Amino acid sequence: MSLTTALTYVLPHRLLSSMARSLAYSDNPRVSRWLIDTVTRKFNVNLDEAANPDPRSYPTFNQFFTRALKPGARVADADPRSLVMPADGRISQLGKIDAGRIFQAKGQSFTAAELLGSAEDAKPFNDGLYATVYLSPRDYHRVHMPWTGTLRETVHVPGRLFSVGPAAVNNVPGLFARNERLVCHFDTSFGPMVSVMVGALLVSGVETVWSGEEIPHYGDRITRKDYRGRGITLQRFDEMARFNYGSTVIVLLPPGVAEFAPHLDAEHPVQLGQALAKLR
């Protein structure tokens, strides 16, 4: 285990993330420009794809980091049966939910029940599929819908804020089921679908298009919000939520409804809109 990963066990996660949030939302030009310049240079951010390519015009780092893409920079896969990739980044892992467990890395796994915060919520996904997509700091940080769905419920599961970088994924047991996360349940034409927005160290917030900021506010207990009957339907490829720093989104599908695009495997770089899976 690397020293950095080991330190995350003892670091004050929420304090550090709160401090990062303060910096990310600061409208002090010296602060925002330093952060934007540092991230752009260190991570080789491609601003040619941004709707606003001028890094100096963003009043805060957060507005830069959650920037929109120019029209046509990403398009949905042309096959109408394709579930589309929810975000830019790379595949961390994907596969079958085997005996209720989701593979994280060699020697590491967690249960769907642990991830969703409920054994009952996990039942529809027994023997189903999961895809874990990691967003690095250089990526577009808005998460979109793999398939058209009507929002049924969100579940805010409090937890730690470990890094979700490769070193931590390989070494922290049950990482994604330990970090704070927002579980979004949708009803679709093929049944239930879940998108899990996983927080991480220095992630200063998760926002959704239907209710705004969800993380923080940090919680100490599982919080459910029932959206049934509210008619919140998002179309395939619509924006769903956004991270305010790099993190991970995990998509769960029920068994027998789809199969993954054959070229996808762990560590595969991906872009929003390309085929994730195809309905059977």
Side-chain angles (χ1 to χ4, degrees):
M1 183 181 297
S2 70
L3 176 61
T4 301
T5 302
L7 283 173
T8 62
Y9 277 91
V10 296
L11 289 171
H13 293 185
R14 289 189 175 183
L15 175 61
L16 289 174
S17 293
S18 294
M19 293 170 62
R21 173 184 169 80
S22 297
L23 291 173
Y25 282 83
S26 172
D27 58 6
N28 182 317
R30 295 180 66 182
V31 173
S32 61
R33 288 179 181 177
W34 175 76
L35 287 170
I36 291 169
D37 289 347
T38 298
V39 168
T40 300
R41 181 178 63 255
K42 181 176 181 180
F43 296 102
N44 193 28
V45 175
N46 182 8
L47 285 171
D48 291 339
E49 297 179 327
N52 175 9
D54 179 8
R56 297 282 173 165
S57 66
Y58 292 93
T60 69
F61 176 73
N62 184 66
Q63 290 185 39
F64 162 78
F65 212 79
T66 59
R67 63 194 175 276
L69 295 177
K70 65 176 60 172
R74 300 288 183 274
V75 295
D77 186 79
D79 189 335
R81 295 181 300 160
S82 290
L83 284 81
V84 299
M85 198 66 62
D88 283 3
R90 63 173 176 77
I91 297 292
S92 177
Q93 295 291 341
L94 83 171
K96 181 180 177 181
I97 302 172
D98 189 7
R101 300 197 71 85
I102 295 171
F103 182 69
Q104 176 179 302
K106 185 176 180 180
Q108 309 288 358
S109 67
F110 51 89
T111 68
E114 290 169 335
L115 178 68
L116 303 184
S118 163
E120 190 66 26
D121 288 349
K123 284 181 180 179
F125 303 100
N126 286 341
D127 299 319
L129 301 178
Y130 73 92
T132 304
V133 181
Y134 168 68
L135 293 73
S136 78
R138 75 181 303 274
D139 292 317
Y140 169 65
H141 274 76
R142 301 188 184 191
V143 175
H144 291 233
M145 292 289 289
W147 192 256
T148 299
T150 298
L151 182 65
R152 175 171 20 106
E153 184 179 40
T154 62
V155 185
H156 177 195
V157 185
R160 299 296 301 276
L161 290 169
F162 288 103
S163 166
V164 292
V169 170
N170 289 332
N171 289 285
V172 178
L175 172 62
F176 300 121
R178 296 173 70 174
N179 272 16
E180 188 161 27
R181 54 206 179 275
L182 184 72
V183 181
C184 303
H185 292 270
F186 294 94
D187 293 320
T188 77
S189 59
F190 57 74
M193 177 183 74
V194 165
S195 288
V196 183
M197 303 282 289
V198 183
L201 189 66
L202 303 185
V203 172
S204 55
V206 169
E207 300 176 17
T208 64
V209 298
W210 55 82
S211 69
E213 188 174 69
E214 295 278 357
I215 303 175
H217 308 287
Y218 302 121
D220 58 4
R221 60 179 60 87
I222 291 177
T223 303
R224 293 179 175 270
K225 294 182 180 179
D226 190 344
Y227 288 93
R228 283 170 287 198
R230 301 274 293 274
I232 301 175
T233 297
L234 302 178
Q235 301 299 311
R236 171 182 181 260
F237 196 59
D238 278 355
E239 181 185 343
M240 183 199 87
R242 62 186 67 173
F243 287 112
N244 294 342
Y245 204 64
S247 197
T248 296
V249 59
I250 302 175
V251 176
L252 302 187
L253 303 173
V257 302
E259 54 188 20
F260 286 123
H263 64 281
L264 296 178
D265 54 22
E267 303 302 320
H268 194 97
V270 295
Q271 280 194 335
L272 166 69
Q274 73 180 79
L276 168 64
K278 184 175 291 188
L279 290 182
R280 290 179 170 175

